[in-house]
Short mmCIF file of all heavy atoms in Angstrom, two decimals:
data_model
loop_
_atom_site.label_atom_id
_atom_site.label_comp_id
_atom_site.label_asym_id
_atom_site.label_seq_id
_atom_site.Cartn_x
_atom_site.Cartn_y
_atom_site.Cartn_z
N MET A 250 -3.65 -8.13 28.13
CA MET A 250 -4.61 -8.29 27.04
C MET A 250 -3.88 -8.82 25.80
O MET A 250 -2.86 -8.26 25.39
CB MET A 250 -5.23 -6.90 26.75
CG MET A 250 -6.20 -6.92 25.57
SD MET A 250 -7.07 -5.33 25.44
CE MET A 250 -7.58 -5.42 23.74
N PRO A 251 -4.36 -9.93 25.26
CA PRO A 251 -3.67 -10.50 24.09
C PRO A 251 -3.82 -9.60 22.88
O PRO A 251 -4.83 -8.96 22.68
CB PRO A 251 -4.38 -11.84 23.88
CG PRO A 251 -5.72 -11.65 24.49
CD PRO A 251 -5.56 -10.67 25.62
N ARG A 252 -2.76 -9.54 22.10
CA ARG A 252 -2.88 -8.76 20.88
C ARG A 252 -2.50 -9.61 19.68
O ARG A 252 -1.76 -10.59 19.82
CB ARG A 252 -2.00 -7.51 20.95
CG ARG A 252 -0.52 -7.80 21.11
CD ARG A 252 0.21 -6.52 21.45
NE ARG A 252 1.61 -6.63 21.01
CZ ARG A 252 2.07 -6.09 19.90
NH1 ARG A 252 1.27 -5.41 19.11
NH2 ARG A 252 3.32 -6.22 19.55
N PRO A 253 -3.04 -9.29 18.54
CA PRO A 253 -2.77 -10.12 17.36
C PRO A 253 -1.31 -10.05 16.98
O PRO A 253 -0.63 -9.08 17.32
CB PRO A 253 -3.65 -9.50 16.27
CG PRO A 253 -3.94 -8.11 16.74
CD PRO A 253 -3.92 -8.17 18.25
N PRO A 254 -0.80 -11.06 16.33
CA PRO A 254 0.59 -11.04 15.90
C PRO A 254 0.85 -9.84 15.00
O PRO A 254 -0.04 -9.34 14.32
CB PRO A 254 0.77 -12.35 15.13
CG PRO A 254 -0.56 -12.96 15.00
CD PRO A 254 -1.49 -12.28 15.95
N ASP A 255 2.10 -9.38 15.01
CA ASP A 255 2.44 -8.18 14.25
C ASP A 255 2.15 -8.32 12.76
O ASP A 255 1.85 -7.36 12.08
CB ASP A 255 3.92 -7.85 14.44
CG ASP A 255 4.20 -7.29 15.83
OD1 ASP A 255 3.26 -6.74 16.45
OD2 ASP A 255 5.32 -7.42 16.30
N SER A 256 2.26 -9.55 12.30
CA SER A 256 2.06 -9.75 10.86
C SER A 256 0.63 -9.48 10.44
O SER A 256 0.34 -9.28 9.28
CB SER A 256 2.45 -11.18 10.48
OG SER A 256 1.66 -12.09 11.21
N TYR A 257 -0.27 -9.46 11.43
CA TYR A 257 -1.68 -9.28 11.10
C TYR A 257 -1.92 -7.97 10.38
O TYR A 257 -2.64 -7.90 9.39
CB TYR A 257 -2.51 -9.33 12.38
CG TYR A 257 -4.00 -9.21 12.15
CD1 TYR A 257 -4.73 -10.30 11.71
CD2 TYR A 257 -4.67 -8.01 12.39
CE1 TYR A 257 -6.09 -10.20 11.49
CE2 TYR A 257 -6.02 -7.89 12.17
CZ TYR A 257 -6.73 -9.00 11.72
OH TYR A 257 -8.07 -8.90 11.49
N SER A 258 -1.28 -6.88 10.86
CA SER A 258 -1.54 -5.59 10.27
C SER A 258 -0.77 -5.37 8.97
O SER A 258 -0.98 -4.41 8.27
CB SER A 258 -1.16 -4.49 11.26
OG SER A 258 0.21 -4.60 11.58
N GLU A 259 0.13 -6.30 8.66
CA GLU A 259 0.94 -6.15 7.47
C GLU A 259 0.53 -7.12 6.37
O GLU A 259 1.29 -7.42 5.47
CB GLU A 259 2.43 -6.36 7.80
CG GLU A 259 3.01 -5.20 8.61
CD GLU A 259 2.95 -3.87 7.86
OE1 GLU A 259 3.18 -3.87 6.65
OE2 GLU A 259 2.67 -2.85 8.50
N LEU A 260 -0.69 -7.61 6.48
CA LEU A 260 -1.19 -8.49 5.44
C LEU A 260 -1.15 -7.81 4.08
O LEU A 260 -1.59 -6.69 3.93
CB LEU A 260 -2.64 -8.90 5.74
CG LEU A 260 -2.85 -10.09 6.65
CD1 LEU A 260 -4.34 -10.32 6.87
CD2 LEU A 260 -2.24 -11.34 6.05
N GLU A 261 -0.62 -8.49 3.12
CA GLU A 261 -0.59 -7.92 1.78
C GLU A 261 -2.00 -7.93 1.19
O GLU A 261 -2.73 -8.89 1.32
CB GLU A 261 0.33 -8.74 0.88
CG GLU A 261 1.80 -8.42 1.09
CD GLU A 261 2.11 -6.94 0.87
OE1 GLU A 261 1.74 -6.43 -0.19
OE2 GLU A 261 2.71 -6.34 1.75
N VAL A 262 -2.34 -6.83 0.57
CA VAL A 262 -3.63 -6.76 -0.10
C VAL A 262 -3.51 -7.47 -1.44
O VAL A 262 -2.65 -7.14 -2.24
CB VAL A 262 -4.04 -5.29 -0.32
CG1 VAL A 262 -5.35 -5.22 -1.06
CG2 VAL A 262 -4.14 -4.57 1.01
N SER A 263 -4.35 -8.46 -1.64
CA SER A 263 -4.31 -9.16 -2.93
C SER A 263 -5.59 -8.93 -3.72
O SER A 263 -5.58 -9.00 -4.94
CB SER A 263 -4.09 -10.65 -2.72
OG SER A 263 -5.11 -11.17 -1.90
N GLU A 264 -6.66 -8.64 -3.01
CA GLU A 264 -7.93 -8.37 -3.70
C GLU A 264 -8.62 -7.19 -3.04
O GLU A 264 -8.62 -7.05 -1.84
CB GLU A 264 -8.85 -9.59 -3.65
CG GLU A 264 -8.43 -10.69 -4.58
CD GLU A 264 -9.59 -11.65 -4.87
OE1 GLU A 264 -10.60 -11.60 -4.14
OE2 GLU A 264 -9.48 -12.43 -5.81
N LEU A 265 -9.18 -6.33 -3.87
CA LEU A 265 -9.96 -5.21 -3.38
C LEU A 265 -11.22 -5.09 -4.21
O LEU A 265 -11.25 -5.52 -5.37
CB LEU A 265 -9.17 -3.90 -3.48
CG LEU A 265 -8.10 -3.64 -2.43
CD1 LEU A 265 -7.31 -2.38 -2.78
CD2 LEU A 265 -8.71 -3.50 -1.05
N TYR A 266 -12.23 -4.48 -3.61
CA TYR A 266 -13.47 -4.29 -4.36
C TYR A 266 -13.25 -3.21 -5.41
O TYR A 266 -12.78 -2.11 -5.12
CB TYR A 266 -14.61 -3.90 -3.42
CG TYR A 266 -15.91 -3.69 -4.16
CD1 TYR A 266 -16.68 -4.80 -4.53
CD2 TYR A 266 -16.33 -2.42 -4.50
CE1 TYR A 266 -17.86 -4.62 -5.22
CE2 TYR A 266 -17.52 -2.23 -5.20
CZ TYR A 266 -18.28 -3.34 -5.56
OH TYR A 266 -19.44 -3.15 -6.25
N CYS A 267 -13.60 -3.52 -6.63
CA CYS A 267 -13.49 -2.55 -7.72
C CYS A 267 -14.89 -2.07 -8.10
O CYS A 267 -15.78 -2.89 -8.37
CB CYS A 267 -12.80 -3.18 -8.93
SG CYS A 267 -12.77 -2.08 -10.36
N ALA A 268 -15.07 -0.74 -8.08
CA ALA A 268 -16.39 -0.18 -8.38
C ALA A 268 -16.78 -0.38 -9.83
O ALA A 268 -17.95 -0.47 -10.17
CB ALA A 268 -16.40 1.31 -8.03
N LYS A 269 -15.78 -0.43 -10.69
CA LYS A 269 -16.08 -0.62 -12.12
C LYS A 269 -16.48 -2.05 -12.42
O LYS A 269 -17.43 -2.30 -13.15
CB LYS A 269 -14.85 -0.23 -12.96
CG LYS A 269 -14.88 1.18 -13.47
CD LYS A 269 -13.80 1.36 -14.54
CE LYS A 269 -13.85 2.78 -15.09
NZ LYS A 269 -12.77 3.02 -16.06
N CYS A 270 -15.72 -2.99 -11.86
CA CYS A 270 -16.00 -4.41 -12.12
C CYS A 270 -17.15 -4.90 -11.25
O CYS A 270 -17.69 -5.97 -11.47
CB CYS A 270 -14.75 -5.24 -11.84
SG CYS A 270 -13.33 -4.80 -12.88
N LYS A 271 -17.46 -4.12 -10.18
CA LYS A 271 -18.53 -4.47 -9.26
C LYS A 271 -18.27 -5.79 -8.55
O LYS A 271 -19.18 -6.55 -8.24
CB LYS A 271 -19.90 -4.51 -9.96
CG LYS A 271 -20.35 -3.14 -10.44
CD LYS A 271 -21.74 -3.22 -11.05
CE LYS A 271 -22.35 -1.83 -11.23
NZ LYS A 271 -21.52 -0.91 -11.99
N ARG A 272 -17.01 -6.07 -8.31
CA ARG A 272 -16.63 -7.26 -7.55
C ARG A 272 -15.20 -7.09 -7.06
O ARG A 272 -14.49 -6.17 -7.50
CB ARG A 272 -16.75 -8.52 -8.41
CG ARG A 272 -15.80 -8.55 -9.59
CD ARG A 272 -16.08 -9.77 -10.46
NE ARG A 272 -15.30 -9.76 -11.69
CZ ARG A 272 -14.07 -10.26 -11.81
NH1 ARG A 272 -13.48 -10.80 -10.77
NH2 ARG A 272 -13.41 -10.20 -12.95
N ALA A 273 -14.80 -7.98 -6.16
CA ALA A 273 -13.41 -7.96 -5.70
C ALA A 273 -12.52 -8.53 -6.78
O ALA A 273 -12.81 -9.59 -7.34
CB ALA A 273 -13.27 -8.76 -4.41
N THR A 274 -11.46 -7.81 -7.08
CA THR A 274 -10.55 -8.26 -8.13
C THR A 274 -9.13 -8.25 -7.61
O THR A 274 -8.81 -7.54 -6.66
CB THR A 274 -10.63 -7.31 -9.34
OG1 THR A 274 -10.27 -5.99 -8.90
CG2 THR A 274 -12.02 -7.26 -9.93
N PRO A 275 -8.26 -9.04 -8.21
CA PRO A 275 -6.84 -8.97 -7.86
C PRO A 275 -6.30 -7.58 -8.17
O PRO A 275 -6.71 -6.95 -9.15
CB PRO A 275 -6.18 -10.02 -8.76
CG PRO A 275 -7.28 -10.88 -9.26
CD PRO A 275 -8.51 -10.03 -9.27
N VAL A 276 -5.41 -7.10 -7.32
CA VAL A 276 -4.88 -5.75 -7.52
C VAL A 276 -3.38 -5.80 -7.71
O VAL A 276 -2.70 -6.71 -7.26
CB VAL A 276 -5.22 -4.83 -6.33
CG1 VAL A 276 -6.71 -4.58 -6.27
CG2 VAL A 276 -4.68 -5.37 -5.03
N ARG A 277 -2.90 -4.79 -8.38
CA ARG A 277 -1.46 -4.58 -8.49
C ARG A 277 -1.06 -3.45 -7.56
O ARG A 277 -1.71 -2.41 -7.51
CB ARG A 277 -1.10 -4.20 -9.93
CG ARG A 277 -1.05 -5.37 -10.88
CD ARG A 277 -0.38 -4.96 -12.16
NE ARG A 277 -1.16 -3.93 -12.85
CZ ARG A 277 -1.90 -4.15 -13.91
NH1 ARG A 277 -1.97 -5.36 -14.42
NH2 ARG A 277 -2.57 -3.17 -14.49
N GLN A 278 0.01 -3.69 -6.81
CA GLN A 278 0.50 -2.66 -5.91
C GLN A 278 1.58 -1.86 -6.61
O GLN A 278 2.46 -2.41 -7.26
CB GLN A 278 1.07 -3.32 -4.66
CG GLN A 278 1.49 -2.31 -3.59
CD GLN A 278 2.24 -2.98 -2.46
OE1 GLN A 278 3.24 -3.65 -2.66
NE2 GLN A 278 1.75 -2.82 -1.26
N ARG A 279 1.47 -0.54 -6.50
CA ARG A 279 2.45 0.32 -7.16
C ARG A 279 2.95 1.33 -6.14
O ARG A 279 2.16 1.96 -5.44
CB ARG A 279 1.76 1.04 -8.31
CG ARG A 279 2.69 1.77 -9.25
CD ARG A 279 1.95 2.09 -10.54
NE ARG A 279 0.87 3.03 -10.31
CZ ARG A 279 0.98 4.36 -10.46
NH1 ARG A 279 2.11 4.88 -10.86
NH2 ARG A 279 -0.03 5.17 -10.24
N LEU A 280 4.25 1.45 -6.05
CA LEU A 280 4.83 2.44 -5.14
C LEU A 280 4.65 3.82 -5.76
O LEU A 280 5.13 4.09 -6.87
CB LEU A 280 6.31 2.14 -4.91
CG LEU A 280 7.04 3.08 -3.95
CD1 LEU A 280 6.39 3.07 -2.58
CD2 LEU A 280 8.49 2.68 -3.83
N LEU A 281 3.91 4.67 -5.06
CA LEU A 281 3.53 5.96 -5.63
C LEU A 281 4.48 7.06 -5.19
O LEU A 281 4.97 7.84 -6.00
CB LEU A 281 2.10 6.27 -5.19
CG LEU A 281 1.31 7.27 -6.04
CD1 LEU A 281 1.14 6.73 -7.45
CD2 LEU A 281 -0.04 7.50 -5.41
N LEU A 282 4.73 7.11 -3.88
CA LEU A 282 5.54 8.19 -3.32
C LEU A 282 6.41 7.65 -2.22
O LEU A 282 5.99 6.76 -1.47
CB LEU A 282 4.64 9.27 -2.71
CG LEU A 282 3.92 10.25 -3.66
CD1 LEU A 282 2.92 11.06 -2.85
CD2 LEU A 282 4.91 11.17 -4.33
N ILE A 283 7.60 8.18 -2.11
CA ILE A 283 8.45 7.89 -0.96
C ILE A 283 8.58 9.17 -0.16
O ILE A 283 9.10 10.16 -0.64
CB ILE A 283 9.83 7.37 -1.39
CG1 ILE A 283 9.66 6.08 -2.20
CG2 ILE A 283 10.71 7.12 -0.19
CD1 ILE A 283 10.97 5.58 -2.79
N LEU A 284 8.03 9.14 1.04
CA LEU A 284 8.00 10.33 1.88
C LEU A 284 8.82 10.09 3.14
O LEU A 284 9.05 8.94 3.52
CB LEU A 284 6.56 10.65 2.27
CG LEU A 284 5.61 10.93 1.11
CD1 LEU A 284 4.18 10.96 1.61
CD2 LEU A 284 5.97 12.25 0.44
N PRO A 285 9.22 11.16 3.82
CA PRO A 285 9.94 11.00 5.09
C PRO A 285 9.13 10.21 6.11
O PRO A 285 9.69 9.52 6.96
CB PRO A 285 10.17 12.43 5.57
CG PRO A 285 10.08 13.26 4.34
CD PRO A 285 9.11 12.56 3.42
N SER A 286 7.81 10.30 6.03
CA SER A 286 6.96 9.63 7.01
C SER A 286 6.60 8.21 6.59
O SER A 286 5.98 7.48 7.35
CB SER A 286 5.68 10.45 7.22
OG SER A 286 5.05 10.68 5.99
N GLY A 287 6.96 7.82 5.39
CA GLY A 287 6.63 6.48 4.94
C GLY A 287 6.39 6.45 3.44
O GLY A 287 6.56 7.45 2.75
N ASN A 288 5.98 5.29 2.96
CA ASN A 288 5.74 5.13 1.53
C ASN A 288 4.26 5.10 1.24
O ASN A 288 3.47 4.56 2.01
CB ASN A 288 6.37 3.81 1.05
CG ASN A 288 7.84 3.73 1.39
OD1 ASN A 288 8.54 4.73 1.39
ND2 ASN A 288 8.29 2.54 1.69
N LYS A 289 3.87 5.67 0.12
CA LYS A 289 2.48 5.61 -0.29
C LYS A 289 2.36 4.67 -1.47
O LYS A 289 3.07 4.79 -2.46
CB LYS A 289 1.97 7.00 -0.66
CG LYS A 289 0.49 6.97 -1.01
CD LYS A 289 -0.08 8.35 -1.25
CE LYS A 289 -1.59 8.26 -1.44
NZ LYS A 289 -2.19 9.55 -1.74
N TYR A 290 1.44 3.72 -1.32
CA TYR A 290 1.21 2.74 -2.37
C TYR A 290 -0.15 2.99 -3.01
O TYR A 290 -1.10 3.38 -2.33
CB TYR A 290 1.23 1.33 -1.81
CG TYR A 290 2.60 0.92 -1.31
CD1 TYR A 290 2.93 1.08 0.02
CD2 TYR A 290 3.53 0.37 -2.18
CE1 TYR A 290 4.20 0.71 0.48
CE2 TYR A 290 4.78 -0.01 -1.73
CZ TYR A 290 5.11 0.16 -0.40
OH TYR A 290 6.34 -0.21 0.05
N ASP A 291 -0.22 2.72 -4.29
CA ASP A 291 -1.47 2.83 -5.02
C ASP A 291 -1.85 1.43 -5.48
O ASP A 291 -1.01 0.65 -5.93
CB ASP A 291 -1.27 3.76 -6.20
CG ASP A 291 -2.56 4.03 -6.94
OD1 ASP A 291 -3.50 4.53 -6.29
OD2 ASP A 291 -2.63 3.75 -8.14
N TYR A 292 -3.14 1.11 -5.36
CA TYR A 292 -3.61 -0.20 -5.79
C TYR A 292 -4.48 -0.05 -7.02
O TYR A 292 -5.41 0.74 -7.05
CB TYR A 292 -4.40 -0.88 -4.67
CG TYR A 292 -3.51 -1.25 -3.51
CD1 TYR A 292 -3.48 -0.48 -2.36
CD2 TYR A 292 -2.71 -2.39 -3.57
CE1 TYR A 292 -2.66 -0.80 -1.30
CE2 TYR A 292 -1.88 -2.72 -2.52
CZ TYR A 292 -1.86 -1.92 -1.38
OH TYR A 292 -1.05 -2.24 -0.35
N THR A 293 -4.13 -0.84 -8.03
CA THR A 293 -4.82 -0.75 -9.31
C THR A 293 -5.47 -2.09 -9.63
O THR A 293 -4.86 -3.14 -9.48
CB THR A 293 -3.82 -0.39 -10.42
OG1 THR A 293 -3.14 0.80 -10.06
CG2 THR A 293 -4.52 -0.17 -11.74
N CYS A 294 -6.71 -2.03 -10.06
CA CYS A 294 -7.42 -3.24 -10.49
C CYS A 294 -6.69 -3.88 -11.65
O CYS A 294 -6.40 -3.22 -12.65
CB CYS A 294 -8.85 -2.86 -10.87
SG CYS A 294 -9.77 -4.23 -11.60
N SER A 295 -6.39 -5.17 -11.53
CA SER A 295 -5.65 -5.83 -12.61
C SER A 295 -6.56 -6.23 -13.77
O SER A 295 -6.09 -6.70 -14.79
CB SER A 295 -4.92 -7.06 -12.08
OG SER A 295 -5.85 -8.02 -11.62
N VAL A 296 -7.88 -6.05 -13.58
CA VAL A 296 -8.82 -6.40 -14.65
C VAL A 296 -9.06 -5.20 -15.55
O VAL A 296 -8.88 -5.27 -16.77
CB VAL A 296 -10.14 -6.91 -14.06
CG1 VAL A 296 -11.14 -7.24 -15.16
CG2 VAL A 296 -9.88 -8.14 -13.20
N CYS A 297 -9.47 -4.06 -14.95
CA CYS A 297 -9.82 -2.90 -15.77
C CYS A 297 -8.79 -1.79 -15.64
O CYS A 297 -8.82 -0.83 -16.42
CB CYS A 297 -11.21 -2.39 -15.39
SG CYS A 297 -11.26 -1.62 -13.77
N GLY A 298 -7.88 -1.88 -14.70
CA GLY A 298 -6.81 -0.91 -14.62
C GLY A 298 -7.14 0.36 -13.86
O GLY A 298 -6.32 1.27 -13.80
N SER A 299 -8.32 0.44 -13.26
CA SER A 299 -8.65 1.65 -12.52
C SER A 299 -8.12 1.57 -11.09
O SER A 299 -7.94 0.48 -10.55
CB SER A 299 -10.17 1.89 -12.53
OG SER A 299 -10.81 0.87 -11.81
N SER A 300 -7.90 2.73 -10.50
CA SER A 300 -7.37 2.79 -9.15
C SER A 300 -8.44 2.39 -8.16
O SER A 300 -9.57 2.88 -8.23
CB SER A 300 -6.86 4.20 -8.85
OG SER A 300 -6.40 4.27 -7.52
N VAL A 301 -8.13 1.47 -7.25
CA VAL A 301 -9.12 1.00 -6.30
C VAL A 301 -8.77 1.35 -4.86
O VAL A 301 -9.53 1.08 -3.94
CB VAL A 301 -9.33 -0.53 -6.41
CG1 VAL A 301 -10.01 -0.87 -7.73
CG2 VAL A 301 -8.03 -1.28 -6.28
N GLY A 302 -7.62 1.99 -4.65
CA GLY A 302 -7.29 2.38 -3.29
C GLY A 302 -5.82 2.70 -3.16
O GLY A 302 -5.03 2.54 -4.08
N SER A 303 -5.48 3.18 -1.97
CA SER A 303 -4.09 3.49 -1.69
C SER A 303 -3.81 3.24 -0.22
O SER A 303 -4.75 3.07 0.57
CB SER A 303 -3.77 4.93 -2.06
OG SER A 303 -4.56 5.81 -1.32
N LYS A 304 -2.55 3.20 0.11
CA LYS A 304 -2.18 2.90 1.47
C LYS A 304 -0.87 3.59 1.81
O LYS A 304 -0.01 3.75 0.95
CB LYS A 304 -2.08 1.38 1.63
CG LYS A 304 -1.15 0.91 2.71
CD LYS A 304 -0.91 -0.58 2.64
CE LYS A 304 0.58 -0.84 2.58
NZ LYS A 304 0.98 -2.11 3.18
N MET A 305 -0.75 4.02 3.07
CA MET A 305 0.52 4.53 3.57
C MET A 305 1.12 3.49 4.50
O MET A 305 0.41 2.87 5.27
CB MET A 305 0.30 5.81 4.38
CG MET A 305 -0.02 7.05 3.58
SD MET A 305 1.42 7.68 2.69
CE MET A 305 2.57 8.02 4.03
N ASP A 306 2.41 3.30 4.41
CA ASP A 306 3.05 2.55 5.49
C ASP A 306 4.10 3.45 6.13
O ASP A 306 4.39 4.54 5.65
CB ASP A 306 3.63 1.22 5.00
CG ASP A 306 4.84 1.40 4.11
OD1 ASP A 306 5.48 2.46 4.16
OD2 ASP A 306 5.14 0.46 3.36
N ASP A 307 4.63 3.01 7.26
CA ASP A 307 5.56 3.87 7.98
C ASP A 307 7.00 3.37 7.84
O ASP A 307 7.84 3.61 8.68
CB ASP A 307 5.16 3.98 9.45
CG ASP A 307 5.02 2.63 10.11
OD1 ASP A 307 5.29 1.61 9.43
OD2 ASP A 307 4.62 2.57 11.28
N ASP A 308 7.23 2.67 6.74
CA ASP A 308 8.57 2.19 6.48
C ASP A 308 9.40 3.34 5.91
O ASP A 308 9.18 3.78 4.80
CB ASP A 308 8.53 1.02 5.50
CG ASP A 308 9.93 0.54 5.15
OD1 ASP A 308 10.89 0.93 5.87
OD2 ASP A 308 10.07 -0.21 4.18
N THR A 309 10.34 3.83 6.70
CA THR A 309 11.14 4.97 6.27
C THR A 309 12.51 4.54 5.77
O THR A 309 13.37 5.37 5.51
CB THR A 309 11.32 5.96 7.43
OG1 THR A 309 11.93 5.27 8.52
CG2 THR A 309 9.99 6.53 7.87
N SER A 310 12.70 3.23 5.62
CA SER A 310 14.03 2.73 5.28
C SER A 310 14.45 3.14 3.87
O SER A 310 15.62 3.22 3.56
CB SER A 310 14.08 1.22 5.42
OG SER A 310 13.17 0.62 4.54
N ALA A 311 13.44 3.40 3.00
CA ALA A 311 13.76 3.75 1.63
C ALA A 311 14.07 5.22 1.47
O ALA A 311 14.47 5.66 0.41
CB ALA A 311 12.61 3.35 0.71
N PHE A 312 13.86 5.97 2.54
CA PHE A 312 14.07 7.41 2.45
C PHE A 312 15.30 7.78 3.25
O PHE A 312 15.39 7.52 4.44
CB PHE A 312 12.85 8.15 2.99
CG PHE A 312 12.91 9.64 2.72
CD1 PHE A 312 12.39 10.15 1.54
CD2 PHE A 312 13.48 10.50 3.64
CE1 PHE A 312 12.45 11.50 1.29
CE2 PHE A 312 13.53 11.86 3.39
CZ PHE A 312 13.01 12.37 2.21
N THR A 313 16.26 8.37 2.58
CA THR A 313 17.48 8.78 3.26
C THR A 313 17.58 10.30 3.29
O THR A 313 17.52 10.94 2.25
CB THR A 313 18.71 8.19 2.55
OG1 THR A 313 18.54 6.79 2.42
CG2 THR A 313 19.98 8.48 3.33
N ILE A 314 17.70 10.82 4.47
CA ILE A 314 17.86 12.26 4.60
C ILE A 314 19.35 12.59 4.56
O ILE A 314 20.15 12.03 5.33
CB ILE A 314 17.23 12.77 5.92
CG1 ILE A 314 15.73 12.49 5.91
CG2 ILE A 314 17.53 14.25 6.11
CD1 ILE A 314 15.07 12.74 7.24
N LEU A 315 19.71 13.45 3.64
CA LEU A 315 21.12 13.81 3.52
C LEU A 315 21.54 14.66 4.70
O LEU A 315 20.82 15.59 5.10
CB LEU A 315 21.35 14.58 2.22
CG LEU A 315 21.12 13.78 0.94
CD1 LEU A 315 21.20 14.71 -0.26
CD2 LEU A 315 22.14 12.66 0.82
N PRO A 316 22.67 14.35 5.28
CA PRO A 316 23.14 15.15 6.42
C PRO A 316 23.51 16.57 5.97
O PRO A 316 23.98 16.74 4.84
CB PRO A 316 24.38 14.39 6.91
CG PRO A 316 24.84 13.59 5.74
CD PRO A 316 23.61 13.29 4.93
N PRO A 317 23.29 17.54 6.81
CA PRO A 317 23.65 18.93 6.46
C PRO A 317 25.15 19.09 6.35
O PRO A 317 25.92 18.42 7.04
CB PRO A 317 23.10 19.75 7.63
CG PRO A 317 22.98 18.78 8.76
CD PRO A 317 22.72 17.44 8.15
N LYS A 318 25.56 19.96 5.45
CA LYS A 318 27.01 20.13 5.24
C LYS A 318 27.59 21.18 6.21
O LYS A 318 26.89 22.10 6.58
CB LYS A 318 27.26 20.57 3.81
CG LYS A 318 27.07 19.38 2.88
CD LYS A 318 27.42 19.73 1.43
CE LYS A 318 27.32 18.46 0.58
NZ LYS A 318 26.99 18.79 -0.80
ZN1 ZN B 417 -11.84 -3.29 -12.17
#
């Protein structure tokens, strides 16, 4: 069964629907949290500045667990 290229699921979000602006607007991505399970990003409307969504990814490269002593 053919599957979409890996890059398909990693499309960068550039526009999201904003409830305040009542239309899709360009968003700013902000790294919110770095967790052992991945990073959490927050998306903010670049027009009115309100939060329009968030996303988790499973990139754990930014998180380093210190070895036990
Ligand atoms: Zn907005």
Side-chain angles (χ1 to χ4, degrees):
M250 177 171 159
R252 61 192 206 100
D255 287 336
S256 59
Y257 183 78
S258 60
E259 288 299 321
L260 274 178
E261 281 302 308
V262 178
S263 58
E264 285 200 345
L265 282 174
Y266 180 80
C267 175
K269 265 193 179 176
C270 299
K271 293 184 166 54
R272 64 185 173 88
T274 60
V276 293
R277 281 194 296 256
Q278 186 188 56
R279 192 164 65 95
L280 182 59
L281 202 62
L282 284 171
I283 299 174
L284 300 169
S286 54
N288 305 326
K289 184 174 186 182
Y290 293 94
D291 186 58
Y292 292 101
T293 305
C294 173
S295 64
V296 178
C297 70
S299 66
S300 177
V301 291
S303 60
K304 154 190 126 150
M305 286 288 300
D306 70 21
D307 55 3
D308 177 15
T309 57
S310 62
F312 189 89
T313 307
I314 298 170
L315 294 172
K318 286 184 175 152

